[in-house]
Amino acid sequence: SRKKVVSEFLFFEEPMAHVLHEKIAMERELRRALEKGEFELYYQPQIRLDSGTVTGMEALIRWNHPEKGIISPYTFIPVAEQTGIIIPINEWVIRTACQQTKQLLEYFPNLSVSVNLSPYEFENRRFVDKLARLLEETGLPPHHLDLEITERMAMDTEQAIAILTKLKAIGVTISMDDFGTGYSSLSYLTDLPIDRLKIDRSFVRNIQGKKDAILPAIIRLGHNIGVKVLAEGVETKTEAAYLRDKRCDEAQGYYFAPPLPYEAFLNFLRRQQRN
Ligand code: C2E
Ligand code: CA
Ligand code: CA
Ligand code: CA
């Protein structure tokens, strides 16, 4: 039976070693990608539902791999977070988003860009200073930058309040991303200095059911605590109309536009302006 134990051990260890090896290989690849400039930001517009105007955009990272083509962040962000290489990657994201948004402001002066933060970053003491430095370096006025955090990052409410207060003092705005999918209780919400709730797209998917009570409740909750509400993953005209009817402030999703490369996003803005 010792033999059996050994073979089981091998059976379980080998795939794990394989996974570890893959992670190390990918970290090396990510480092190289950063040096070679293989990352690119795509921008997805955020639309005000009552007027149809573009209020801003979410910056979403893509990896243009020389052999594998475009790689989704779902594939590499988790590994980047586990290995710590997310720190220089997100620095690149913030710098690039600020630079490109600064350019866009010349023609579209009211735009605000949203970037996704990582838990690591959020808890790092030096992040506040780093952010202030990046804003200064790029010349983007702070109120044109929005930081997306998740409920998971706000689980330690005291700590989150302290960090968010410092970030807000710089002048940026804060959005709670994927709202409704986290584990935390709702009571923390009123205590956090946030500006906007982004309702996760899983709630938007239920609209067709007609009996949906959750979406209107979340929208009212947001308004009751004095924050704006944006619905994510809006794919149809019906969904957009329903959300507008329920007084949801903003929406984002394939119905309006998918995430677009900078030039295509600029063209989207120009078309919108003409209409
Ligand atoms: P997320 O922040 O929830 O971003 C929204 C995701 O939903 C994006 O996927 C977007 O392409 C997709 N999406 C937008 N509209 C629709 C729609 O109408 N229907 C459906 N089914 N999907 C839609 P993407 O770009 O693949 O990003 C995936 C996740 O990767 C993001 O989820 C975010 O958590 C993470 N991520 C992306 N860029 C960055 C980044 O620069 N830094 C960090 N830390 N994370 C990032
Ligand atoms: Ca997001
Ligand atoms: Ca989201
Ligand atoms: Ca998400």
Side-chain angles (χ1 to χ4, degrees):
S1 93
R2 174 146 197 279
K3 203 169 179 184
K4 186 165 177 277
V5 169
V6 168
S7 71
E8 263 171 13
F9 177 78
L10 288 175
F11 180 76
F12 287 112
E13 279 303 302
E14 230 180 281
M16 274 163 64
H18 180 65
V19 167
L20 182 64
H21 178 80
E22 269 190 359
K23 264 186 205 163
I24 293 167
M26 190 184 282
E27 187 195 355
R28 204 167 40 231
E29 277 272 278
L30 288 167
R31 206 172 287 283
R32 186 192 51 77
L34 205 50
E35 283 162 11
K36 292 259 158 76
E38 290 172 10
F39 292 115
E40 183 177 359
L41 288 185
Y42 277 42
Y43 293 98
Q44 186 174 37
Q46 300 174 332
I47 312 288
R48 232 180 96 158
L49 283 164
D50 59 5
S51 62
T53 50
V54 183
T55 60
M57 59 281 181
E58 180 173 3
L60 294 153
I61 195 170
R62 299 290 180 269
W63 179 4
N64 296 316
H65 193 282
E67 284 127 41
K68 295 174 194 153
I70 295 181
I71 304 179
S72 151
Y74 284 123
T75 318
F76 65 87
I77 291 287
V79 181
E81 286 182 337
Q82 284 160 23
T83 55
I85 192 152
I86 191 71
I87 301 282
I89 291 178
N90 269 354
E91 181 168 334
W92 178 87
V93 168
I94 295 171
R95 180 181 291 110
T96 308
C98 289
Q99 282 168 345
Q100 295 189 321
T101 302
K102 173 107 199 289
Q103 290 175 29
L104 292 172
L105 287 186
E106 226 174 286
Y107 308 98
F108 307 95
N110 299 317
L111 291 181
S112 179
V113 69
S114 297
V115 298
N116 293 282
L117 288 194
S118 272
Y120 279 92
E121 204 125 65
F122 190 62
E123 280 161 22
N124 190 323
R125 287 172 171 281
R126 291 204 299 258
F127 178 64
V128 178
D129 296 333
K130 192 205 253 182
L131 190 76
R133 185 166 47 71
L134 285 169
L135 283 163
E136 202 170 274
E137 178 193 314
T138 58
L140 183 74
H143 63 280
H144 292 282
L145 177 65
D146 178 66
L147 303 176
E148 298 194 2
I149 65 161
T150 59
E151 288 170 271
R152 200 154 55 90
M153 298 185 208
M155 286 230 299
D156 182 343
T157 312
E158 294 300 310
Q159 188 196 24
I161 291 171
I163 299 167
L164 292 178
T165 305
K166 282 188 197 145
L167 289 171
K168 294 235 36 173
I170 295 177
V172 300
T173 61
I174 310 290
S175 292
M176 179 63 77
D177 199 7
D178 302 339
F179 184 71
T181 60
Y183 326 90
S184 5
S185 78
L186 288 177
S187 59
Y188 73 102
L189 255 192
T190 46
D191 301 327
L192 294 173
I194 58 170
D195 302 278
R196 183 167 68 168
L197 290 184
K198 295 188 78 180
I199 308 177
D200 190 71
R201 66 169 177 266
S202 56
F203 296 102
V204 178
R205 281 297 80 76
N206 291 329
I207 288 178
Q208 253 67 307
K210 302 288 180 230
K211 278 180 296 197
D212 172 58
I214 307 213
L215 256 176
I218 299 180
I219 295 166
R220 276 198 303 275
L221 171 78
H223 290 160
N224 284 342
I225 63 167
V227 305
K228 278 192 297 177
V229 181
L230 178 149
E232 288 193 288
V234 175
E235 294 182 357
T236 67
K237 192 176 181 169
T238 312
E239 290 166 353
Y242 175 92
L243 289 159
R244 191 179 55 230
D245 184 55
K246 299 295 177 197
R247 303 281 182 271
C248 186
D249 304 286
E250 294 167 285
Q252 189 183 330
Y254 297 162
Y255 173 63
F256 304 101
L260 299 164
Y262 179 83
E263 285 298 327
F265 179 68
L266 181 57
N267 288 331
F268 174 88
L269 289 175
R270 287 181 177 138
R271 272 199 308 277
Q272 286 289 117
Q273 201 174 44
R274 261 181 270 137
N275 291 339

